[in-house]
Amino acid sequence: MQTPIPNMTIFIPVLLFLSLTPLSFSERCHPNDKKALLQLKKDLNNPYDLISWKPKDDCCEWYVVKCDEKTNRIIQFDLSKSDIQLPIPAAVGDLPYLESLTFHHTNVTGQIPVAISKLSNLKFLDLRWNLLTGPVPSFLGNLKKLTYIGLSFNSLTGSIPASLSQLPELTGLLLDRNKLTGSIPESFADFKQQDFYLYMSNNQLSGHIPRKLGSANFSLFDVSRNRLEGDLSFMFGRNKSVGNAYYERNLFEFDFSKVEIGDDLRNLHLHHNKIYGSIPKGLTKTDLIYLNVSYNRLCGEIPVGGRLQELEYTVYFHNKCLCGSPLPNCK
């Protein structure tokens, strides 16, 4: 007797349904993450960028956030160019796997919330271009995985916490265009990463730059438009890694002729200070892109060579007695 052959036209659709069912009805989003995100949405008064967030939908598919492919936990929140006009909600601290947190150009207000201190996995923090007030929180120094901190273009006040130098993975710190006061922490010489970039311009910082910073490895160092004073010569040297240095519009006072110029120097802004002496010949031997020494007390002939004669005369004018191309000839 022959065994009957199963009707495959019945089995095939059933197998397809069973294989697709887990993908159709399972949700990647962790319920705790969804709860925190919905609370965050509520606290932000349901902004336009979060309108599409629906409780019935998988939060891993929501706009602005991203889930880890393996753990399915929320690892990124990126909200940019929105007009929030509210504080950053404490609910952000209930996303324990968060690695990247961005409120960029969103007009969030108030202080940087202490809830962020709970984000032990945080690597990237961008809070630039907002209406934040209060201090730069010292608890940021406890988030050891941070590689980037961006706090520019706010109204932060108080002194800069020395604890930020305790971040072993940090490669960039942006504190420019705030209302910060006090001195630059000496511990900022202790940042571990090579090619570290540090922005502190357009604040109200005062005092001297700590001499210890002369031994640090900065690729970019910007302290322009503050109230800093005193010697700056120790920030120069043949072996210095600084490629872009911005010291303009302070009260620095030192003999420029005695400094050595590093091979990596590309941009040097020294204008509007009290620098005296002459322009060092070492500037003719580098791949310099831009130099501005105007509004100082320099004298002598501008060295010939490199790009020094190609620059506009305005980068040299308003000094005591500088002369030579592109300025008028020396007498």
Side-chain angles (χ1 to χ4, degrees):
M1 183 175 176
Q2 223 175 12
T3 305
I5 299 173
N7 188 344
M8 298 305 291
T9 59
I10 297 174
F11 284 119
I12 289 174
V14 172
L15 288 172
L16 283 172
F17 174 79
L18 292 174
S19 65
L20 290 173
T21 297
L23 294 176
S24 302
F25 296 99
S26 67
E27 181 173 338
R28 291 174 57 203
C29 178
H30 194 281
N32 291 350
D33 289 349
K34 177 178 279 189
K35 180 181 178 181
L37 289 171
L38 288 173
Q39 183 62 51
L40 192 149
K41 176 186 178 184
K42 179 182 178 182
D43 293 343
L44 292 176
N45 198 24
N46 195 27
Y48 175 79
D49 295 278
L50 309 185
I51 285 177
S52 62
W53 289 9
K54 305 297 183 184
K56 64 181 178 61
D57 296 334
D58 186 350
C59 74
C60 287
E61 303 300 324
W62 287 353
Y63 183 60
V64 173
V65 297
K66 179 181 178 182
C67 281
D68 183 84
E69 293 296 329
K70 294 181 179 179
T71 66
N72 294 329
R73 301 303 298 263
I74 295 292
I75 59 171
Q76 179 177 310
F77 179 94
D78 185 350
L79 183 61
S80 300
K81 295 185 177 179
S82 185
D83 190 18
I84 300 296
Q85 300 277 347
L86 288 167
I88 298 173
V92 297
D94 297 326
L95 298 168
Y97 288 79
L98 204 63
E99 297 178 5
S100 177
L101 176 61
T102 298
F103 282 90
H104 175 70
H105 222 303
T106 57
N107 288 335
V108 287
T109 62
Q111 298 192 14
I112 298 172
V114 69
I116 290 178
S117 66
K118 297 161 61 178
L119 303 177
S120 59
N121 290 300
L122 198 64
K123 298 178 181 178
F124 183 91
L125 178 63
D126 184 359
L127 304 179
R128 294 173 298 148
W129 287 90
N130 285 298
L131 304 173
L132 295 171
T133 56
V136 176
S138 59
F139 65 68
L140 293 178
N142 297 325
L143 302 177
K144 301 302 182 182
K145 294 184 180 180
L146 277 171
T147 62
Y148 171 91
I149 299 175
L151 304 179
S152 310
F153 293 90
N154 281 287
S155 295
L156 300 173
T157 55
S159 58
I160 300 173
S163 60
L164 297 179
S165 64
Q166 299 171 10
L167 297 169
E169 305 299 325
L170 198 67
T171 59
L173 176 60
L174 284 66
L175 301 174
D176 50 305
R177 294 185 181 272
N178 280 285
K179 299 176 182 178
L180 300 173
T181 55
S183 58
I184 298 172
E186 185 178 54
S187 63
F188 273 22
D190 300 331
F191 287 113
K192 299 294 189 295
Q193 296 298 315
Q194 297 288 324
D195 298 327
F196 192 91
Y197 53 97
L198 179 60
Y199 290 83
M200 296 184 289
S201 67
N202 288 269
N203 280 289
Q204 299 165 25
L205 301 175
S206 58
H208 293 65
I209 292 182
R211 295 191 70 86
K212 189 178 178 183
L213 267 66
S215 61
N217 292 310
F218 297 111
S219 62
L220 185 148
F221 190 77
D222 185 356
V223 293
S224 61
R225 296 175 184 267
N226 279 287
R227 301 171 183 173
L228 299 166
E229 59 185 338
D231 189 17
L232 191 62
S233 60
F234 56 87
M235 297 296 292
F236 295 86
R238 293 290 299 170
N239 298 319
K240 301 298 184 185
S241 61
V242 178
N244 301 281
Y246 302 85
Y247 303 116
E248 73 268 20
R249 294 185 182 274
N250 280 287
L251 301 169
F252 293 121
E253 189 171 1
F254 64 97
D255 188 346
F256 194 31
S257 59
K258 294 183 178 180
V259 305
E260 291 187 326
I261 303 300
D263 294 334
D264 294 329
L265 190 63
R266 297 294 178 268
N267 292 283
L268 178 59
H269 297 244
L270 290 170
H271 50 96
H272 292 84
N273 279 288
K274 299 180 180 180
I275 301 166
Y276 56 91
S278 58
I279 296 177
K281 293 182 179 179
L283 286 170
T284 65
K285 300 175 183 178
T286 66
D287 295 324
L288 195 69
I289 297 173
Y290 185 78
L291 169 73
N292 194 333
V293 294
S294 62
Y295 292 92
N296 278 290
R297 301 172 181 176
L298 297 171
C299 264
E301 184 174 7
I302 298 171
V304 177
R307 293 206 63 224
L308 297 188
Q309 277 64 52
E310 299 173 18
L311 299 172
E312 294 287 335
Y313 79 96
T314 54
V315 306
Y316 299 110
F317 71 177
H318 287 282
N319 272 285
K320 189 176 180 181
C321 49
L322 269 185
C323 58
S325 178
L327 293 178
N329 293 333
C330 299
K331 297 179 180 178

